Amino acid sequence: MDAPTLDRPLIRRHLAEVEKAWPIRFLGLVPAEVMTSPRAHGRINLLADADPKVSLFDLLGIESDLSEGLGREVAIVPTDSELGRNPDLVAATVPV
């Protein structure tokens, strides 16, 4: 199965809007191959550095808003999470 094509300019616009509204910085796209969840395939996986004031509930809301705007499921991997500190995941992350 081929990976869906990403509209990177659209993704960048939506991420910029989120970064203006929240203390969060998106570092790049995480390829599904390095994610541990089988659900990672077909969704947009983003590595992000969020201020500690951004709660898990905030991140879930941001994911939901991005999913709605992009028309695809979005998952945010915080850099302060166990998965976000995985060197293989960080090394595999590519710019949006």
Side-chain angles (χ1 to χ4, degrees), residues 36-48:
T36 57
S37 169
R39 293 184 55 214
H41 293 274
R43 74 180 180 201
I44 298 171
N45 305 294
L46 298 162
L47 183 63

Side-chain angles (χ1 to χ4, degrees), residues 28-80:
L29 295 163
V30 180
E33 294 77 27
V34 296
M35 296 288 289
T36 57
S37 169
R39 293 184 55 214
H41 293 274
R43 74 180 180 201
I44 298 171
N45 305 294
L46 298 162
L47 183 63
D49 187 22
D51 187 285
K53 293 181 271 186
V54 178
S55 72
L56 177 59
F57 293 111
D58 294 331
L59 287 175
L60 292 172
I62 293 168
E63 285 179 346
S64 178
D65 291 346
L66 286 170
S67 295
E68 186 177 310
L70 297 172
R72 297 228 340 243
E73 184 181 1
V74 172
I76 297 173
V77 180
T79 56
D80 65 349

